[in-house]
């Protein structure tokens, strides 16, 4: 067999990789899909042919995007963590990210005080929370966003593991272009198709982006006032409760099981206090919070800081479905406004497992009757507490987090 033939066989054998001649065929299928499937849907949503053609001028498939499934192939191989939100908790709160978001956030709080105050009056969402999201999503607009949104969403809509979802987002992006909220050159996105400084997916832009500077456009790419107003509107529309905090770092005594974690196991905050949970700073819980619902949050199980959070924490989580993300936003917001320091308890050396490894553990727990929230390879609260319940059933202290040493026992 020739060297060329051997290399061709190797390429075909790799999941998600197509040889050059196959890619040309797939590219032709992609262009046909745009014309036959995407254009009719876009037209039905009021998108003109001129806008459609302009959006896809020169656009080809981006083979470097993750989770692609070319026609005729199947997804395969161990899934690594692509998003930091789903990796090691300690790494997510690295010194540079936390300090940088805090330092620049304080500058932005002064520079955009009027816009932040106006949005807080209109939505009830504190400016510090808006700053926390803005900083995490785009470094307050300073992080370059270079991807062509139509290339990203076109590629992922045509051949990804979530093709239907991304096709819907592609149609929404075309509607945004039709409405003229931003010139074509500004329609840049993340590798996942998220837009502008607040990193809205296109469908969320259509629902929640608003004009904050009075020019009748919601320009989340270039306007800080529009960005601030849009983030505040998103949180308000998702149920932000004015007057309540997002949460408090706490000490959880050994007598309180980590299996009590989760938004479906809430208690009045006074009830958590009666169980012996106290704030790490030695202060009492605010009197205004004692009657409100609180929820135990232990994002690294017994291997990191613990929190009693309010319903507002889960509003933050709606922005990006990650406990670590919501925690980062609340923490940075507190540092910006109140000058707070680090969490008093550090993060243990946990996390970093492949999603495929965690998924194996989840399936084993499901076979035992545990509700892990789906075997998706992500250690969410249902997985964490299921691990704790499994440990307690074995007579072991509950740590409530997947660890490498568990792989042989949970198969």
């Amino acid at each position: 067999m020739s060297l060329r033939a051997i290399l061709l066989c190797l390429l075909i054998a790799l999941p998600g990789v197509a040889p050059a001649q196959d890619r040309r065929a797939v590219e032709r299928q992609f262009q046909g899909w745009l014309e036959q499937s995407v254009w009719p849907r876009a037209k039905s949503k009021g998108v003109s042919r001129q806008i459609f053609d302009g959006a896809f001028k020169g656009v080809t498939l981006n083979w470097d995007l993750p989770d692609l499934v070319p026609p005729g192939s199947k997804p395969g191989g161990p899934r690594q963590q692509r998003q930091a939100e789903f990796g090691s908790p300690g790494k997510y709160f690295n010194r540079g990210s936390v300090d940088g978001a805090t330092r620049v956030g304080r500058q932005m709080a002064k520079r955009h005080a009027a816009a932040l105050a106006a949005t807080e009056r209109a939505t009830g969402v504190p400016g510090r929370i808006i700053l926390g999201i803005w900083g995490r999503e785009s470094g307050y607009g300073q992080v370059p966003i270079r991807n062509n949104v139509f290339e990203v969403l076109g590629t992922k809509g045509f051949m990804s593991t979530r093709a239907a979802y991304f096709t819907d987002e592609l149609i929404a992006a075309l509607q945004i272009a039709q409405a003229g909220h931003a010139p074509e050159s500004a329609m840049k996105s993340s590798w996942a198709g998220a837009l502008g400084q607040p990193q809205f997916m296109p469908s969320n832009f259509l629902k929640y982006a608003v004009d904050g500077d009075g020019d009748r456009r919601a320009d989340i790419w270039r306007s800080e006032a529009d960005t601030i107003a849009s983030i505040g509107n998103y949180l308000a529309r998702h149920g932000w409760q004015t007057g309540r905090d997002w949460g408090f770092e706490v000490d959880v005594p050994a007598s309180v099981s980590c299996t009590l974690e989760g938004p479906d196991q809430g208690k009045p905050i006074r009830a958590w206090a009666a169980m012996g949970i106290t704030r790490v700073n030695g202060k009492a819980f605010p009197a205004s919070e004692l009657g409100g619902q609180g929820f135990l949050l232990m994002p690294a199980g017994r291997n990191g800081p613990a929190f009693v959070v309010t319903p507002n924490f889960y509003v933050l989580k709606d922005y990006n479905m990650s406990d670590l993300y919501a925690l980062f936003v609340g923490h940075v917001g507190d540092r910006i406004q109140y000058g707070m320091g680090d969490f008093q308890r550090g993060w243990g050396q946990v996390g970093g497992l492949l999603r495929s490894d965690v998924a194996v553990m989840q399936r084993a727990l499901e076979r035992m009757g545990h509700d892990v929230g789906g075997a998706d390879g992500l250690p969410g609260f249902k997985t964490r507490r299921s691990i704790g319940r499994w440990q307690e059933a074995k007579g072991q202290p509950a740590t409530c987090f997947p660890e490498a040493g568990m792989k042989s026992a949970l198969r």
Side-chain angles (χ1 to χ4, degrees):
M1 183 180 290
S2 68
L3 177 61
R4 182 176 181 277
I6 293 172
L7 290 173
L8 179 60
C9 290
L10 288 173
L11 281 171
I12 293 173
L14 291 173
V17 176
Q21 57 266 45
D22 287 353
R23 288 191 178 189
R24 286 193 292 270
V26 173
E27 188 69 52
R28 288 192 294 272
Q29 292 179 52
F30 171 61
Q31 297 299 329
W33 173 76
L34 288 177
E35 186 63 32
Q36 297 164 20
S37 297
V38 177
W39 164 239
R41 287 188 59 185
K43 183 179 179 181
S44 72
K45 293 292 186 180
V47 177
S48 71
R49 187 73 210 197
Q50 180 182 3
I51 291 294
F52 183 86
D53 289 343
F56 291 107
K57 183 178 181 180
V59 167
T60 58
L61 291 168
N62 184 340
W63 292 85
D64 294 327
L65 295 173
D67 299 325
L68 298 184
V69 186
S73 66
K74 296 180 180 180
R79 297 183 67 185
Q80 296 185 354
Q81 306 290 3
R82 173 79 180 197
Q83 287 184 256
E85 285 83 2
F86 305 125
S88 175
K91 291 182 180 179
Y92 193 73
F93 287 85
N94 67 79
R95 182 83 280 138
S97 294
V98 173
D99 286 354
T102 302
R103 182 182 65 257
V104 180
R106 288 171 180 159
Q107 298 169 6
M108 293 296 172
K110 295 177 181 178
R111 186 177 306 170
H112 301 290
L116 289 163
T119 297
E120 184 166 352
R121 287 193 299 271
T123 65
V125 180
R128 75 181 195 279
I129 297 297
I130 294 171
L131 289 167
I133 287 179
W134 188 15
R136 186 64 201 178
E137 292 295 341
S138 66
Y140 305 99
Q142 297 178 12
V143 174
I145 300 172
R146 297 189 175 96
N147 294 294
N148 180 326
V149 68
F150 301 110
E151 176 188 273
V152 169
L153 294 176
T155 299
K156 295 176 82 70
F158 178 65
M159 56 173 194
S160 80
T161 55
R162 301 171 64 200
Y165 166 76
F166 285 109
T167 301
D168 290 345
E169 294 297 338
L170 176 60
I171 301 300
L174 289 165
Q175 292 178 261
I176 293 168
Q178 180 67 45
H181 290 289
E184 183 180 339
S185 61
M187 287 285 283
K188 302 297 183 182
S189 77
S190 72
W191 61 265
L195 298 169
Q197 297 187 45
Q199 287 290 274
F200 280 174
M201 291 303 290
S203 60
N204 280 337
F205 178 99
L206 294 176
K207 295 174 186 174
Y208 307 114
V210 293
D211 172 22
D213 57 18
D215 67 355
R216 299 184 180 181
R217 292 184 300 181
D219 185 352
I220 61 171
W221 294 267
R222 299 166 302 176
S223 170
E224 290 84 0
D226 289 1
T227 294
I228 289 167
S230 296
I231 293 172
N233 184 53
Y234 181 100
L235 296 177
R237 296 272 298 277
H238 280 76
W240 183 271
Q241 295 183 9
T242 303
R244 294 208 68 184
D245 209 321
W246 66 267
F248 310 90
E249 187 183 359
V250 297
D251 282 322
V252 180
S255 58
V256 177
S257 174
C258 54
T259 64
L260 295 177
E261 182 185 8
D264 54 352
Q265 299 191 99
K267 306 176 188 293
I269 288 181
R270 64 165 54 92
W272 292 113
M275 295 170 68
I277 292 179
T278 57
R279 294 178 69 184
V280 295
N281 61 11
K283 296 181 180 179
F285 290 104
S288 59
E289 295 279 10
L290 290 175
Q293 285 286 96
F295 311 90
L296 185 62
L297 173 73
M298 301 182 74
R302 287 284 182 181
N303 303 291
F307 307 86
V308 168
V309 299
T310 76
N312 284 341
F313 176 87
Y314 294 101
V315 174
L316 296 179
K317 190 174 175 180
D318 280 335
Y319 204 99
N320 183 323
M321 292 304 293
S322 160
D323 290 327
L324 297 183
Y325 175 90
L327 189 58
F328 185 97
V329 166
H331 180 54
V332 166
D334 288 349
R335 290 169 66 100
I336 290 170
Q337 183 162 333
Y338 304 127
M340 295 175 64
D342 293 337
F343 296 132
Q344 291 199 20
R345 182 170 182 183
W347 299 96
Q349 296 299 312
V350 294
L353 294 174
L354 292 177
R355 285 182 63 174
S356 53
D357 290 334
V358 177
V360 168
M361 298 182 194
Q362 290 171 323
R363 286 191 287 271
L365 289 164
E366 285 180 330
R367 289 194 294 271
M368 298 176 195
H370 293 281
D371 176 10
V372 299
D376 57 3
L378 302 176
F381 73 90
K382 288 187 176 181
T383 295
R384 296 195 295 264
R385 70 189 186 193
S386 292
I387 287 173
R389 289 166 180 167
W390 168 73
Q391 291 171 315
E392 290 178 345
K394 291 170 63 68
Q396 299 173 353
T399 60
C400 296
F401 204 84
E403 301 168 18
M406 300 175 183
K407 289 197 291 185
S408 60
L410 286 173
R411 296 190 65 83

